[in-house]
Amino acid sequence: MIKECCRSLSYNDEERQFTFPLNPCLSHIWNKVKKDIKSIDPDFHLNDFNQLLTRLCDLHNQYSRIETKCIADIFILPGEVLELSLVDDPNPLRMVKMKKGQYLNVNTGRGYSFGDKYKFRDNYILETSEGYILGSVKSTALLSPSCEHIALSKVYIGDYYRNKISDSLWPIFEMVVNNTNPRCNARIPEYLLMARKMGINSFSLLNILNASTHVWG
């Protein structure tokens, strides 16, 4: 279904984000695939198909939340996404771990260093290694990729899970930021190849790529 419903990674200049866009003529796809789907799952109906399309349209918000009151940097892998709710900010702080003790703010493209001994804890002040205070943490959660992200990763990134996760993911962020023609999709195959080599999935990749769009201005 992913192959039929989605195209590969691309940049949408109007929405200013990277995504795996839906194919046109979706109304014809159900008729094309329903026989094969029914042979696998007789209880999968048109309504289920439409719900899948809705989730694919909203990949940024498709994830599972794993709540935790305290988690140390050492237990977070590069590419994993941490979401912190802060007391005085209505918008959660979403960060991708990029390297030991280093994180990327998905909403601003700004990098933070906390150090590899740091612990993210509820009811504690969130402070960088340089002494910059981001706020007081109200709740802490890890965001786990959805089934849609896993399927997209298999189809368009490939066997990323066979590779060791890179110690640093900054190179892919820097590649996008330094792109001389960032709104051109010509380099996207390079991003997908780098993601596979670095051992990261589409959820991690999309968060990193979309963080980079804030740096373009």
Side-chain angles (χ1 to χ4, degrees):
M1 282 193 292
I2 291 295
K3 287 181 180 178
E4 294 290 344
C5 294
C6 289
R7 288 175 284 164
S8 186
L9 180 70
S10 66
Y11 179 73
N12 185 312
D13 194 41
E14 183 177 337
E15 297 182 3
R16 293 177 56 84
Q17 68 174 1
F18 287 90
T19 188
F20 292 86
L22 294 179
N23 275 319
C25 302
L26 288 170
S27 58
H28 301 295
I29 290 178
W30 170 248
N31 290 329
K32 180 179 178 181
V33 301
K34 65 180 180 181
K35 183 176 179 180
D36 290 336
I37 293 173
K38 291 288 187 180
S39 68
I40 299 170
D41 183 359
D43 295 323
F44 193 95
H45 303 291
L46 177 59
N47 185 55
D48 301 302
F49 180 73
N50 289 332
Q51 287 180 9
L52 170 63
L53 297 181
T54 300
R55 293 194 297 273
L56 289 170
C57 283
D58 189 32
L59 283 173
H60 183 74
N61 294 309
Q62 298 306 311
Y63 50 77
S64 298
R65 292 180 60 85
I66 304 170
E67 302 284 347
T68 176
K69 294 185 179 297
C70 176
I71 187 167
D73 173 79
I74 193 173
F75 295 117
I76 305 173
L77 294 172
E80 289 194 308
V81 180
L82 188 67
E83 188 171 85
L84 306 173
S85 294
L86 304 178
V87 172
D88 295 322
D89 192 337
N91 301 309
L93 172 60
R94 184 186 288 195
M95 301 186 296
V96 184
K97 181 172 179 177
M98 303 296 282
K99 191 178 180 179
K100 280 185 179 180
Q102 297 180 9
Y103 293 77
L104 174 65
N105 186 326
V106 175
N107 298 321
T108 65
R110 182 173 181 177
Y112 299 129
S113 175
F114 295 101
D116 58 5
K117 302 292 192 298
Y118 198 84
K119 292 182 180 179
F120 299 94
R121 293 181 283 187
D122 292 1
N123 305 313
Y124 275 75
I125 298 297
L126 183 64
E127 183 176 359
T128 69
S129 301
E130 297 79 17
Y132 179 67
I133 295 177
L134 297 171
S136 179
V137 178
K138 184 166 56 176
S139 65
T140 306
L142 280 172
L143 305 185
S144 178
S146 66
C147 294
E148 289 78 18
H149 285 110
I150 293 170
L152 283 164
S153 303
K154 176 62 178 175
V155 172
Y156 292 114
I157 296 179
D159 296 340
Y160 67 95
Y161 47 84
R162 297 185 184 277
N163 297 324
K164 178 183 179 293
I165 299 174
S166 295
D167 292 333
S168 174
L169 302 181
W170 287 115
I172 193 167
F173 177 77
E174 291 162 0
M175 177 189 283
V176 184
V177 169
N178 295 327
N179 190 350
T180 55
N181 190 7
R183 291 169 176 81
C184 174
N185 284 318
R187 299 197 70 181
I188 280 182
E190 296 178 55
Y191 304 155
L192 293 170
L193 178 60
M194 185 174 281
R196 183 165 75 246
K197 289 180 176 179
M198 288 183 161
I200 60 172
N201 59 45
S202 64
F203 184 57
S204 302
L205 178 64
L206 285 172
N207 276 283
I208 294 170
L209 294 182
N210 286 324
S212 71
T213 64
H214 298 287
V215 182
W216 292 342

